[in-house]
Amino acid sequence: MRLRRTPLPIFAFLASVVLFAGVATAHGVTTRFDAPIPLTLLFGGAGATVALTALFLSATVERTPTGMRRISVLSSGTVAALRLTARVAFLAIFLLVLAVGSVGPANARDNPATLFTWSVWLKGIGLLAVLFGSPWRTLAPWRTIYDGLSKLEGKQLALFDYPDQLGDWPALVGFLALVGIVENLTRIPDSPRLTAVLLAGYALIMLFGGVLFGTTWFERADPLAVLYRLFGRVAPLKIDGSGIDLRPPWRGCLPRVRSLSLAGFVVASVYTVSFDGFTETPEYQTILFWARDVTGLGSVVSVPLYLGGFLAFLAVFALVAMVTQRISGSAKRGGTRESWREMALALAPTVVPIAVAYEVAHNYPFVLQQLSRLLTVLGGTEIELLGWLSLPAFWASQVLLIVLGHLVAVVAAHYVALEHTNRVASVGRTHLPLTALMVGYTVLSLWIISRPVAT
């Protein structure tokens, strides 16, 4: 069932944000946010927008929308040719990155390897996944090499079956290590040679695991594959087979994830991008220097700070799942009572739009800025891809992306709540714990981006 009316207060608030925008900060932008209205009013308005949306949905929507429309169809031969071209091209770029990172300029700003790896690749492909679904199954260089080896062998390489007990834990551990620690807390992204070593090691681990366990390893153990696939859940344009489907951005967030490790991955994706932004604030610097003095660990103390914060986020999400399960238990479909673990699997995808919104808001300036630098380093004409974006417009984009992401998450959570209750009247109560979490995270996200950059 479609919405019977438009929530005018929501769009009025969003429009006011655009009209009364100030200046901002994020990756690559070093000015302080200077909101034209009191921050408490801004935070309260954003939080109220999310809460009122949940209330509105409880009163007007009764079942999950299933609309999806195919808007483009290509021939199977064309699709196969495009995929082969993309695979070969990305593999060639990957090998070039390894070579240039090893023997090229030592300055990260002048070396195409670092400029490409940490922005165009890691962040840029994530932005593509948000729009069109994950392209990583096609682009992953280690999977291309694996498929080539399998063709030479005449069969798919796999010495053993993938162990069920591993689940998606290798991908979660890999994400925490690669993105949470290496990218955010070490100097590796500033070293072309260390970046090349990291990529070579990553590729060897992926290839070795593929030979041992087959293609399942690439699906469940590659942190980039899992990350981009989660981002692709919100893609409004979904490339499927030989066509492109237009769909609501919450549609892909309705099916539950398959394991608790994957639910933990969702929480990690939300937390890590927030932590990345938080590390630039004076408040984090205060905590960091205090922890250094107390523990005597020096800069390495940032790692337990990061992991401790992740465990705290994980505990809060588990608590929300437990409370939601208790509330919905009396109205459970089929007369059986779900465990909190099953509820966590159902709720986890509804959090993905929040991770996506903050990921896009936090990183799109960084990607465009670094892409501009990469084009210049490669000998192209100097171009500023962010030149068209004024600071007021940038501030507006940050707030709009975060609030809209939370609204999509609220819609997804509402429809999931409908699937776990027999009566529409119970949906509001079932949805309440997750709504409270989303309101809190909306305010937290806006607070992080409103803080000055610590230099």
Side-chain angles (χ1 to χ4, degrees):
M1 180 181 295
R2 294 181 297 177
L3 299 182
R4 293 199 292 264
R5 69 177 81 174
T6 301
L8 293 179
I10 295 172
F11 296 110
F13 168 76
L14 296 177
S16 69
V17 170
V18 175
L19 293 175
F20 301 103
V23 295
T25 183
H27 265 308
V29 180
T30 57
T31 54
R32 175 178 178 167
F33 272 108
D34 188 10
I37 58 177
L39 287 176
T40 52
L41 181 59
L42 175 63
F43 297 160
T49 299
V50 175
L52 288 173
T53 301
L55 181 63
F56 175 83
L57 290 172
S58 297
T60 59
V61 180
E62 297 182 3
R63 63 186 177 87
T64 303
T66 58
M68 179 181 289
R69 185 162 60 92
R70 177 145 292 199
I71 62 175
S72 177
V73 177
L74 300 174
S75 67
S76 58
T78 301
V79 171
L82 290 174
R83 285 180 173 169
L84 179 60
T85 301
R87 299 190 82 176
V88 173
F90 201 89
L91 176 59
I93 293 172
F94 173 74
L95 296 175
L96 183 62
V97 164
L98 292 181
V100 174
S102 301
V103 301
N107 187 340
R109 282 183 51 80
D110 297 325
N111 194 304
T114 48
L115 292 172
F116 176 81
T117 299
W118 300 104
S119 56
V120 179
W121 174 353
L122 182 60
K123 304 301 182 184
I125 292 180
L127 299 184
L128 287 178
V130 170
L131 293 175
F132 304 107
S134 174
W136 193 237
R137 187 170 185 175
T138 296
L139 298 181
W142 29 88
R143 186 153 189 171
T144 299
I145 296 173
Y146 169 85
D147 287 343
L149 294 174
S150 295
K151 285 188 177 182
L152 289 175
E153 188 69 19
K155 62 179 181 180
Q156 188 179 93
L157 298 176
L159 299 178
F160 308 100
D161 292 331
Y162 185 83
D164 291 336
Q165 59 269 29
L166 278 183
D168 299 280
W169 292 110
L172 174 57
V173 172
F175 176 80
L176 294 174
L178 176 66
V179 179
I181 296 175
V182 171
E183 185 200 7
N184 295 332
L185 302 177
T186 74
R187 306 299 297 178
I188 291 177
D190 296 326
S191 170
R193 288 165 179 77
L194 291 178
T195 296
V197 170
L198 175 69
L199 290 179
Y202 192 150
L204 289 174
I205 291 173
M206 288 297 104
L207 277 174
F208 181 71
V211 171
L212 285 180
F213 304 118
T215 57
T216 305
W217 172 263
F218 299 116
E219 298 294 331
R220 307 195 69 174
D222 184 352
L224 293 182
V226 175
L227 178 66
Y228 297 148
R229 194 163 59 243
L230 286 175
F231 283 0
R233 281 180 173 249
V234 304
L237 298 172
K238 181 69 172 178
I239 299 177
D240 183 18
S242 60
I244 301 177
D245 295 321
L246 179 65
R247 64 179 190 172
W250 54 80
R251 179 186 175 95
C253 300
L254 304 184
R256 65 175 58 198
V257 295
R258 61 178 168 238
S259 65
L260 282 178
S261 51
L262 202 52
F265 196 108
V266 173
V267 176
S269 67
V270 174
Y271 165 70
T272 299
V273 70
S274 299
F275 182 82
D276 184 22
F278 182 57
T279 57
E280 299 174 347
T281 67
E283 288 76 11
Y284 174 77
Q285 296 301 316
T286 300
I287 295 173
L288 178 63
F289 287 117
W290 171 82
R292 285 181 178 181
D293 293 339
V294 170
T295 63
L297 293 176
S299 59
V300 75
V301 76
S302 59
V303 174
L305 285 178
Y306 165 73
L307 295 176
F310 169 61
L311 292 177
F313 263 60
L314 205 58
V316 170
F317 177 76
L319 178 62
V320 167
M322 291 177 186
V323 174
T324 302
Q325 181 267 334
R326 291 290 297 272
I327 292 175
S328 66
S330 60
K332 180 69 184 71
R333 292 181 184 272
T336 60
R337 189 180 180 87
E338 282 186 318
S339 68
W340 73 268
R341 293 177 178 81
E342 293 173 312
M343 184 62 72
L345 300 184
L347 294 181
T350 69
V351 182
V352 171
I354 298 176
V356 166
Y358 199 50
E359 178 78 17
V360 175
H362 189 60
N363 288 313
Y364 87 82
F366 173 67
V367 173
L368 292 177
Q369 187 180 63
Q370 296 297 90
L371 181 57
S372 298
R373 179 66 184 172
L374 176 61
L375 293 175
T376 302
V377 169
L378 291 176
T381 57
E382 188 170 348
I383 182 173
E384 180 52 64
L385 295 178
L386 280 179
W388 57 271
L389 185 64
S390 66
L391 285 174
F394 178 64
W395 159 251
S397 74
Q398 298 287 288
V399 178
L400 283 171
L401 284 167
I402 289 174
V403 174
L404 287 174
H406 283 78
L407 294 182
V408 172
V410 166
V411 174
H414 174 77
Y415 292 141
V416 169
L418 280 173
E419 296 300 318
H420 292 264
T421 57
N422 284 324
R423 297 168 298 166
V424 173
S426 303
V427 172
R429 292 188 302 109
T430 302
H431 192 193
L432 184 59
L434 195 58
T435 299
L437 177 65
M438 290 177 179
V439 169
Y441 193 71
T442 302
V443 175
L444 175 63
S445 300
L446 291 175
W447 176 81
I448 289 174
I449 66 172
S450 73
R451 302 303 298 144
V453 172
T455 57

